[in-house]
Amino acid sequence: MLGDQLSDGLSALAGLEPARDVVLMAEVRAEATYVGHHKQKIALIFAAMRSFALRLESRGVTVRYVRIDDPANTHSIAGELERALEDQPFEGVVMTECGEWRLAEALSAFAKSTNSGVEIRQDDRFICTHDRFRRWASGKSQLRMEFFYREMRRETGLLMDDGQPVGGQWNYDAENRKRLPKGIRPPERLRTVPDAVALGALADVARLFPDHFGTLDRFGWPTTAEQAEAVLDDFLRHILPGFGDWQDAMAQGEPWMWHGLISTSLNLGLLDPLDICRRAEAEFRAGRAPLNAVEGFIRQILGWREFVRGIYWLKMPEYGRRNALDADRTLPAFYWSGATDMACVADAVASTRNHAYAHHIQRLMVTGNLALLLGVHPDEVDDWYLSVYADAYEWVEMPNTRGMAIFADGGIVGSKPYAASGAYIDRMSDHCGGCRYDVKAKTGENACPFNRLYWGFLERNYSRLRDNVRLAMPYRTLEKFGPERRAALLAEAEATRLQLGAVPR
């Protein structure tokens, strides 16, 4: 069992016979360090694995559990499989398919090299299987989440009445883009107090991974199914009603807003996606949450989460090499340090460092948008997002960053680059009021860097993006500027890229 497979109903556990079978779980450096994962992410996975091992043992299951500091640890999953097979004469190995291409290749190589039989079972904890997604995608010139989402709504019956979407429309995203009004603050959130197992994992990470990014002292993620259930229940009862209106809003010093805080538990396997969606729908049916909130929340899981997983496995490994805009710059150091005068970026990085978390608009329209405008190489963007967020696994991270945030996939995931000037951030947050940069100024040293970069980005990518119908309006505006002004905007954007530390690789 891998660290993100902590589900009672995992396919690998089907038919388990406690009297003769052994479950192998291993904490290995290869998985903790292939990117420099946030300290909280490593601690979360170790703590959740250890707790799940205890859960199995309480049911009479024998668990061969290899800790990170075990002197005999080979520090790779394949190595620990080989060592287990050397120690005992097992008939064979049963596993559930893993979620990342990198590890899947390593385990496939292991399966071919061993004399023991290896059975790799489908991961049925998702709503849409790989085969189902391939059937949906077959023959389509464009793969759009909205139409996939509608298929999933029809198949599951979620928010459907007599074959039609509840309320008469599929998507209420237009009602979910409100800026947080003055005087309204996000609600208090239930955070999990680390238990003895989690405290042990935190201590091990502090000792063994001292140089990894992030802090440990604000750790509050669920590490057991019971803790995850408590956080989900709190969200559904108290937070979900406000999720719709303000799901895209940002506020200085407010990391959680109205978001679910269940993505870590969902991606570890502590919660079931279809069950979550059905319970959210029940809140609407009972009149306790409005339709725009419930539909928006279900869309994130039933639509977006299932869609990006489908894209990942449909397009890998070629997808991981895509760089449609020929981005070639390094990631600025402030993505790690937070040492920048851009208030929105500094706040997102602070949240990321302190909690291994930032909500989707901070990821897409602040750190992602900036990386897009700077022209940061997709590999560096991928590595950063995969490293710093506790809910990041490559199958969900890569299509969101390489696809949605920086358009490196050329339009497979999103129909346009989500490039925006500072006006978007000013509209959706209170960051700009306290920022040393002027969000109203378009050019000059005091102008918001998003503004200084935006038109230069469009000019730099003119030949690649001019025919994108969703960028027709800004490109018409750009074309009215004239060659001298366009050249000046490009030059200022280039100077800004260098000033911010996005230098050629």
Side-chain angles (χ1 to χ4, degrees):
M1 291 184 65
L2 301 174
D4 60 348
Q5 297 182 341
L6 308 180
S7 307
D8 290 333
L10 188 73
S11 60
L13 297 178
L16 175 72
E17 296 184 25
R20 72 183 190 101
D21 294 335
V22 174
V23 173
L24 170 63
M25 302 177 74
E27 304 167 358
V28 297
R29 280 192 173 271
E31 297 306 308
T33 61
Y34 68 92
V35 295
H37 295 292
H38 195 296
K39 292 175 184 174
Q40 287 192 33
K41 183 180 183 180
I42 302 172
L44 168 64
I45 295 173
F46 286 0
M49 289 174 65
R50 293 175 188 183
S51 293
F52 197 85
L54 293 173
R55 183 186 186 94
L56 290 173
E57 289 173 343
S58 72
R59 299 171 181 173
V61 176
T62 300
V63 180
R64 179 186 172 106
Y65 196 93
V66 183
R67 291 205 176 213
I68 190 68
D69 54 1
D70 186 331
N73 193 333
T74 63
H75 290 294
S76 76
I77 298 298
E80 285 310 299
L81 280 163
E82 291 168 358
R83 190 161 70 93
L85 291 170
E86 290 171 359
D87 288 351
Q88 290 179 253
F90 292 107
E91 294 176 15
V93 178
V94 176
M95 65 179 76
T96 295
E97 62 185 359
C98 62
E100 296 192 357
W101 181 270
R102 168 194 57 82
L103 186 54
E105 289 291 283
L107 292 177
S108 177
F110 159 79
K112 292 174 183 176
S113 68
T114 183
N115 292 324
S116 300
V118 178
E119 179 187 356
I120 301 178
R121 297 176 177 174
Q122 178 176 283
D123 190 347
D124 54 12
R125 299 173 301 161
F126 290 85
I127 301 169
C128 181
T129 66
H130 297 314
D131 286 344
R132 176 67 184 90
F133 190 85
R134 281 191 290 267
R135 290 199 305 274
W136 173 79
S138 178
K140 291 181 171 62
S141 59
Q142 289 186 325
L143 305 179
R144 291 292 170 255
M145 187 279 289
E146 177 64 25
F147 300 109
F148 168 78
Y149 169 57
R150 295 180 187 185
E151 288 277 307
M152 293 296 99
R153 287 270 297 274
R154 293 187 184 100
E155 288 192 9
T156 62
L158 286 163
L159 292 177
M160 300 290 290
D161 283 338
D162 298 323
Q164 297 299 316
V166 172
Q169 62 189 69
W170 293 100
N171 186 314
Y172 290 85
D173 190 47
E175 298 181 22
N176 297 346
R177 302 172 184 169
K178 297 178 183 177
R179 176 176 178 162
L180 191 64
K182 289 184 178 180
I184 294 182
R185 304 311 303 169
E188 292 294 321
R189 303 307 299 270
L190 176 66
R191 297 289 284 156
T192 302
V193 177
D195 58 17
V197 174
L199 289 172
L202 288 164
D204 286 345
V205 170
R207 175 171 53 88
L208 297 171
F209 302 93
D211 298 328
H212 279 232
F213 176 75
T215 63
L216 289 168
D217 54 355
R218 303 189 193 189
F219 184 91
W221 299 110
T223 58
T224 69
E226 291 75 18
Q227 293 170 357
E229 175 65 29
V231 172
L232 173 61
D233 186 66
D234 180 69
F235 170 73
L236 293 174
R237 289 176 178 269
H238 306 299
I239 314 300
L240 178 59
F243 174 79
D245 288 351
W246 299 308
Q247 67 172 279
D248 285 4
M250 298 175 284
Q252 190 75 19
E254 297 287 354
W256 318 125
M257 302 299 284
W258 276 262
H259 283 249
L261 304 189
I262 60 168
S263 56
T264 56
S265 300
L266 186 54
N267 291 350
L268 282 171
L270 301 177
L271 295 172
D272 176 79
L274 187 55
D275 175 66
I276 292 170
C277 292
R278 285 173 172 158
R279 289 167 64 180
E281 179 186 31
E283 294 300 303
F284 165 72
R285 299 286 187 184
R288 293 189 291 265
L291 181 57
N292 72 314
V294 173
E295 186 279 318
F297 177 71
I298 288 175
R299 182 167 13 102
Q300 295 298 317
I301 299 173
L302 179 68
W304 193 249
R305 183 174 185 264
E306 297 287 327
F307 178 74
V308 297
R309 176 180 181 255
I311 291 289
Y312 178 82
W313 285 104
L314 184 69
K315 299 294 185 180
M316 284 295 281
E318 186 270 341
Y319 193 86
R321 297 188 290 269
R322 283 182 168 255
N323 186 4
L325 301 183
D326 292 326
D328 63 352
R329 298 303 173 99
T330 59
L331 188 76
F334 59 72
Y335 272 77
W336 300 101
S337 69
T340 174
D341 289 334
M342 288 178 280
C344 58
V345 176
D347 189 63
V349 174
S351 174
T352 301
R353 181 178 57 250
N354 292 332
H355 305 293
Y357 178 84
H359 73 63
H360 74 281
I361 295 299
Q362 289 176 299
R363 300 189 201 194
L364 175 63
M365 298 307 299
V366 178
T367 54
N369 179 25
L370 184 59
L372 171 68
L373 297 178
L374 289 170
V376 178
H377 193 282
D379 289 352
E380 298 205 16
V381 179
D382 273 342
D383 284 352
W384 186 78
Y385 280 92
L386 190 57
S387 297
V388 302
Y389 292 119
D391 56 5
Y393 299 85
E394 192 178 79
W395 65 265
V396 67
E397 170 272 323
M398 185 178 285
N400 271 290
T401 57
R402 195 173 288 253
M404 190 73 167
I406 61 171
F407 205 69
D409 70 359
I412 292 174
V413 167
S415 57
K416 70 165 187 173
Y418 276 79
S421 68
Y424 175 88
I425 295 167
D426 191 31
R427 183 169 67 250
M428 295 305 300
S429 77
D430 60 1
H431 292 307
C432 299
C435 186
R436 92 121 172 118
Y437 292 108
D438 182 358
V439 73
K440 304 299 182 185
K442 305 302 181 187
T443 60
E445 289 296 320
N446 291 323
C448 171
F450 285 91
N451 295 346
R452 298 179 68 198
L453 291 164
Y454 177 73
W455 291 108
F457 166 81
L458 292 178
E459 179 68 30
R460 188 169 70 248
N461 291 286
Y462 185 88
S463 63
R464 301 181 183 93
L465 300 176
R466 176 62 185 88
D467 294 331
N468 186 301
V469 294
R470 296 194 64 192
L471 293 177
M473 185 177 295
Y475 270 114
R476 281 197 298 269
T477 301
L478 179 68
E479 289 164 351
K480 293 176 183 177
F481 288 164
E484 288 187 7
R485 185 178 178 189
R486 288 170 66 172
L489 289 169
L490 184 62
E492 179 160 22
E494 177 58 25
T496 304
R497 292 208 284 172
L498 295 174
Q499 290 166 5
L500 293 178
V503 299
R505 280 160 52 101

